[in-house]
Amino acid sequence: MNLTILAASGRTGIALTRQALKRGHTVTAIARDPERIPVPNSDALYKVAGDVHDPASISAAIDPDSVVLSALGADKAGILLAGARTVVAAPSRRVIWLGAYGTGKSAEVAGEAAGVIVKLLGGDHLADKVEADNTVLTAGGTVFHAGVLADGPESPTRRTVGLQDAPPFDLTAKVTRDTVAAAMLDEAEEPHFPGTVALPLAG
């Protein structure tokens, strides 16, 4: 498959890029500075400069036949929504977006402990995250709501569930970025959660 990975120089983006190549896909990896993508060059990897504040740079990198996977994060409000609007507006097969468990659509099922995430994000950041998620969902994309992220290998007992099977939010139940990346790539290869929220779990 042709895959386009947004924010490919971040830790989750790097995991997505490496795993996608290992699975035999062709990858267009987008980052503000492509030189910061620490994945060896190959015939199947295209590193491209792009910034969500320059929508044309992102749109130009998205092949209409590709699936877009976003690992975009944000240190200030507005970045996520700008990114979501850009990838949704660009022609592609579909969009798979990374969000946070306990926000937006998953807030109610996450339980009381999710309030910690809401407090950490603050009003503007939370609104940006929720609006970005909703933009992708409205366009028929899939949003992965991950819990607390950690470094480490892909979980051998990993699974992906919908909101109806979501466990309560647990700050101690971390999920590795490699596990999240594998779940997102599974969805790219064989969609099971179009237009809805999915949770990548370690076990």
Side-chain angles (χ1 to χ4, degrees):
M1 296 177 63
N2 292 325
L3 303 179
T4 301
I5 297 174
L6 182 62
S9 62
R11 283 184 287 179
T12 305
I14 292 167
L16 280 167
T17 302
R18 286 177 173 160
Q19 289 189 31
L21 291 169
K22 187 175 181 180
R23 293 188 186 202
H25 300 302
T26 299
V27 176
T28 299
I30 304 174
R32 282 180 292 181
D33 181 2
E35 296 300 318
R36 294 183 60 193
I37 303 173
V39 180
N41 294 326
S42 73
D43 291 341
L45 176 62
Y46 303 91
K47 298 178 182 179
V48 179
D51 190 318
V52 296
H53 293 303
D54 178 13
S57 68
I58 304 294
S59 299
I62 297 176
D63 188 300
D65 188 48
S66 72
V67 175
V68 178
L69 299 101
S70 172
L72 187 65
D75 53 4
K76 61 181 179 179
I79 292 176
L80 293 175
L81 182 56
R85 286 174 172 167
T86 298
V87 297
V88 164
S92 68
R93 291 172 63 180
R94 59 186 179 277
V95 176
I96 299 172
W97 187 265
L98 180 58
Y101 190 32
T103 64
K105 300 288 186 183
S106 67
E108 184 174 344
V109 297
E112 294 181 4
V116 175
I117 298 297
V118 173
K119 289 179 181 178
L120 287 174
L121 287 173
D124 289 345
H125 281 78
L126 178 62
D128 182 38
K129 187 174 287 291
V130 172
E131 286 186 65
D133 286 0
N134 289 340
T135 298
V136 173
L137 292 171
T138 299
T142 302
V143 175
F144 275 81
H145 274 191
V148 180
L149 293 174
D151 293 322
E154 176 187 336
S155 170
T157 58
R158 68 178 180 83
R159 60 195 176 97
T160 301
V161 301
L163 289 179
Q164 71 278 5
D165 297 313
F169 184 89
D170 182 354
L171 281 170
T172 66
K174 297 181 179 180
V175 59
T176 67
R177 291 175 174 84
D178 276 335
T179 299
V180 173
M184 293 175 71
L185 287 167
D186 287 347
E187 183 69 16
E189 293 171 349
E190 189 173 346
H192 292 285
F193 300 95
T196 188
V197 172
L199 275 69
L201 304 176

